[in-house]
Amino acid sequence: MLAKFRPLMATAAKARSPPAVAASTATDRDEHVHYKHTDGCHHLRWTAKESYEYMYARPWSSVLDFYAELVRTGAGSAGLAKLFAKDEADYNLDTTGENYLTLSEKQTATISSKDRGGRWERVTFKIVLSYHGGSFDGWQKQPGLNTVQGLVEKHLGQFVDERKAKQLEARSLPIEGCAVVAGRTDKGVTALQQVCSFYTWRKDVKPGDIKQAINEAAPDKLKPLLVSEVAREFHPNFAAKWRRYMYIFPLDEDAKLIFGDEHSSEALENSEHNIKPQNFDVAKVDETLRKLSGKTLSYKMFARDTQASRSVGPPTECFMFHSRAAVAKLFSSNEDCKEGMRVMCVELVANRFLRKMVRVLVATAIREAATGAGEDALLNLMEATDRRATAPPAPPEGLCLVDVGYKDFDKQRCFIVD
């Protein structure tokens, strides 16, 4: 009987076999290892490996030490003001308007929650945290790793209500609280004013109790700046109107900028030189980043490790309120160090950010500035169809979540302004 179906099986196999023209040799595949740019600067552009090596060959320990000092002192975002000769008082943590609801929303919430029990009776707390990225394995709780969420929730367990505690015990789970965050940060990324929330049905819990418990979790590495009671409707992620990131990139003090050099234009015109640059102009980075401000764009080419469903369409679109770069000098708590290290600071403010988006933007902006590409280089890359067109993510050690905003964006509170 098997012999009866053999002709049909052979026919089906032929139908499924790929056409001969689809076959490719090893040589053909090797040609597509790197993305092929077609502009006039393509011969000067770093490969992914070269870009990675350039980024990671920086003295990142100095940046980590700088962030560690800000976390230890609890300076928050105001601690960055000194880099740009700003008054720290203008950037202090805003403790007003903790409810974040309009008058009509407050009235609706009051009416809807009247004479109700259960979830309507729970108490929600807003927690503003500062933590050092180099001391944790990121925000998100993961088994066997030292994460910020895991540590915070462990110390919030003492404020869990009796009913939930029994449910956790019945499932043989540790008694821990649940912290909802405004945005997860990767391993190595520092946060100066991260926002999370925690709720409980217990009425005896006070903001000061929560602040003290978290403060004892990891002294000098994790510091609660503010704990306040907010409306039940408050959600640190969905209620946020903008997020601000700062990336600090160490510069080579003795290296000569390729732009402004009389030989740089000659090298750009003559592809036979094929000499790739070893430095970049910060002003050029600022020019390319400025082009992103005030626009809603799809940043899918600048994202990494995203789910397929969130790699196309509206989930990839972000509105950039502010995008600038400037040179600054890191100040040091060491009295013997009179002058700090020269760095480039990149300030980005948007309604949302995709995964690893800031780090890829910074690395790509640096690569394009070194190449000598035009000021529309980042905009042009938005139209690419392959993420290899952008550079690998810059090191996480330079990235810092500065703060999260629940009011309309005010450009006057930016650090890098004209």
Side-chain angles (χ1 to χ4, degrees), residues 251-268:
L251 297 174
D252 291 329
E253 290 290 344
D254 300 327
K256 190 174 183 180
L257 298 179
I258 59 173
F259 293 91
D261 185 353
E262 60 182 3
H263 300 295
S264 61
S265 59
E266 180 181 339
L268 286 172

Side-chain angles (χ1 to χ4, degrees), residues 130-187:
S130 180
Y131 54 84
H132 182 230
S135 302
F136 298 96
D137 296 312
W139 166 268
Q140 187 174 7
K141 181 166 59 176
Q142 301 179 64
L145 295 180
N146 180 32
T147 65
V148 181
Q149 183 183 17
L151 197 60
V152 169
E153 291 187 345
K154 178 181 178 181
H155 285 76
L156 288 176
Q158 58 187 290
F159 306 112
V160 171
D161 56 276
E162 185 178 354
R163 181 181 178 183
K164 184 175 181 180
K166 290 181 178 179
Q167 291 176 344
L168 292 172
E169 286 180 348
R171 298 167 59 187
S172 299
L173 295 175
I175 299 178
E176 298 179 344
C178 178
V180 181
V181 73
R184 294 177 294 181
T185 53
D186 293 331
K187 177 180 179 180

Side-chain angles (χ1 to χ4, degrees), residues 171-245:
R171 298 167 59 187
S172 299
L173 295 175
I175 299 178
E176 298 179 344
C178 178
V180 181
V181 73
R184 294 177 294 181
T185 53
D186 293 331
K187 177 180 179 180
V189 178
T190 296
L192 296 181
Q193 289 179 197
Q194 173 72 281
V195 180
C196 66
S197 67
F198 162 74
Y199 66 83
T200 180
W201 275 266
R202 286 177 50 180
K203 303 297 184 182
D204 61 328
V205 179
K206 304 299 180 184
D209 301 333
I210 296 177
K211 186 174 183 179
Q212 181 179 354
I214 299 177
N215 201 35
E216 296 172 353
D220 297 335
K221 299 176 182 178
L222 171 64
K223 196 176 187 67
L225 304 180
L226 176 69
V227 180
S228 56
E229 185 177 337
V230 293
R232 188 192 66 81
E233 291 81 2
F234 173 74
H235 193 288
N237 186 10
F238 302 144
K241 293 187 176 182
W242 51 265
R243 288 116 170 130
R244 170 164 49 174
Y245 279 91

